[in-house]
Amino acid sequence: MNITLSTPPRPAGSRIAGLGHYQPPTVITNDDLVARGVDTNDEWVKSRVGIAERRFAMDETMIDMGVAAASKAMANSGISATDIDLVILATCTGKQQVPGGAAELASRLGIDSPGAYDINAACAGFVYALNSASEAVTAGHARNVLVVGSEKLTDYVDLLERGTGIIFADGAGAAVVTPSDSVGIGPVVWGSDGDNAHAITTDAASATLRQEGQTVFRWATSKMADVGLQACAAAGLQSWQLAGFVPHQANLRIIDLIAKKLKAPNVVVARDIVNSGNTSSASIPIALSKMLERGEVASGAPVLLVGFGAGLTYAGQVILTP
Ligand code: UT7
């Protein structure tokens, strides 16, 4: 038999048509953590991690926050539920192992029968999901894709344990990816280091997060600038041409050390960790959405995203802002 299967028409590229974010209203300062009984202090957290305050979800679920962020991204993109045919949810804090959350999220948004799946690449998850969305669009397999990073880390953190309870927080960010006549989402540079999988895990008995902070710190500060520079080169850019840099918001010292190595003195660096803490796969879309909302980068400007975290996994990608 000599049968050739047909493929759908392929657009030249993909782009982000709109972004949105949602953070729960309850603000928790470092002093609030001390008052709750955490053995820490404001000075240590600000100087070692850079966090002044973070948001904790009370009654809201991970899906609730994802719906809120996605609604804003859809409104900002001008693309409605009826035009979305794929939903990708990046999360590592789903309430249960089965089912994943993407189908429920889509249903809550009134998106009828889309392809729907979850990605768990922890804090690198949003960039993995964004790249998957871009590939689906450029392969002609989806018209418009909703990408959501949503996390309720407070469900998985011992909030009294000072190693993790001071860092992690809740929130969601989202993007709508659509076909384009030119490339608006550059090539991804991604990888993993499974030899260090033990560095960030959930404890089997308690299901709470544990991390070997210094192992991850050294890995991130020694490797992630190269990932970012490779992503720039893959997109055909010099790093000095970047308008913005939005790394995963894990630690202000990590952000600043990576930013310095990019040799892009005029780049606007996202430092949302100061007010939001570490929201894993939600941290990049929240910080990027805020950067646009504040008008810190122009429309059509190149912004470098670099996600990294449990796995260990990482991914870097240059996008053009909507
Ligand atoms: O999002 C996923 C990716 N994750 C990351 O990228 C995390 C990377 N790692 C980090 O950001 C940092 O390693 C942490 C913020 C997790 C920890 O900061 P560190 O500077 O590496 O602190 P450490 O764990 O080495 O502890 C230094 C000192 C210790 O005291 P001694 O032994 O020097 O007397 C700790 O007991 O700080 C003490 N300490 C604290 N003190 C006050 C540790 N945690 C706290 C705290 N408050 N919350």
Side-chain angles (χ1 to χ4, degrees):
M1 270 194 285
N2 187 13
I3 295 174
T4 307
L5 301 178
S6 61
T7 54
R10 296 171 179 223
S14 62
R15 64 182 174 89
I16 296 178
L19 287 148
H21 67 275
Y22 174 81
Q23 293 181 280
T26 304
V27 177
I28 305 286
T29 64
N30 298 328
D31 287 338
D32 290 334
L33 293 178
V34 174
R36 286 167 165 235
V38 184
D39 177 17
T40 191
N41 58 78
D42 183 54
E43 197 279 328
W44 191 95
V45 181
K46 280 184 179 156
S47 63
R48 303 301 295 175
V49 199
I51 300 173
E53 59 187 28
R54 72 285 287 146
R55 303 290 182 102
F56 283 0
M58 296 298 159
D59 299 330
E60 291 159 298
T61 66
M62 180 274 288
I63 300 279
D64 293 336
M65 292 187 283
V67 167
S71 300
K72 291 182 186 165
M74 287 159 61
N76 287 339
S77 70
I79 294 171
S80 63
T82 45
D83 291 320
I84 290 171
D85 50 359
L86 178 61
V87 175
I88 307 175
L89 171 62
T91 190
C92 59
T93 53
K95 201 64 181 135
Q96 66 278 313
Q97 189 71 24
V98 176
E104 181 190 341
L105 181 81
S107 162
R108 294 261 308 268
L109 289 159
I111 303 172
D112 186 24
S113 328
Y117 61 92
D118 293 17
I119 284 182
N120 180 353
C123 308
F126 182 79
V127 186
Y128 275 70
L130 184 66
N131 188 60
S132 303
S134 176
E135 285 176 344
V137 166
T138 54
H141 296 148
R143 266 182 320 132
N144 297 301
V145 186
L146 174 65
V147 184
V148 179
S150 185
E151 304 283 7
K152 190 174 180 186
L153 283 143
T154 50
D155 279 347
Y156 290 92
V157 168
D158 176 351
L159 295 174
L160 295 179
E161 199 264 315
R162 69 179 183 169
T164 50
I166 57 146
I167 293 171
F168 293 106
D170 304 325
V176 179
V177 175
T178 197
S180 172
D181 293 339
S182 55
V183 176
I185 299 178
V188 76
V189 173
W190 54 13
S192 61
D193 174 11
D195 289 347
N196 280 309
H198 55 83
I200 312 175
T201 57
T202 43
D203 179 76
S206 63
T208 52
L209 264 171
R210 297 271 175 272
Q211 71 170 340
E212 296 168 20
Q214 290 193 3
T215 306
V216 185
F217 190 100
R218 278 194 298 271
W219 171 76
T221 51
S222 62
K223 296 255 183 339
M224 290 310 117
D226 276 348
V227 172
L229 291 170
Q230 285 171 35
C232 290
L237 285 182
Q238 305 282 331
S239 58
W240 60 263
Q241 293 176 288
L242 291 169
F245 173 46
V246 183
H248 168 50
Q249 304 288 299
N251 183 316
L252 194 57
R253 289 186 294 143
I254 296 179
I255 293 168
D256 287 338
L257 283 166
I258 300 174
K260 199 170 165 196
K261 289 186 188 177
L262 289 180
K263 301 207 184 325
N266 298 320
V267 74
V268 178
V269 179
R271 295 188 174 87
D272 188 49
I273 186 160
V274 175
N275 301 108
S276 300
N278 179 340
T279 56
S280 191
S281 73
S283 84
I284 288 178
I286 291 174
L288 179 61
S289 174
K290 286 184 181 177
M291 197 180 255
L292 290 176
E293 215 171 65
R294 293 193 197 112
E296 291 171 352
V297 289
S299 174
V303 173
L304 171 65
L305 315 180
V306 177
F308 55 88
L312 301 175
T313 57
Y314 59 85
Q317 191 158 38
V318 177
I319 58 103
L320 299 183
T321 52

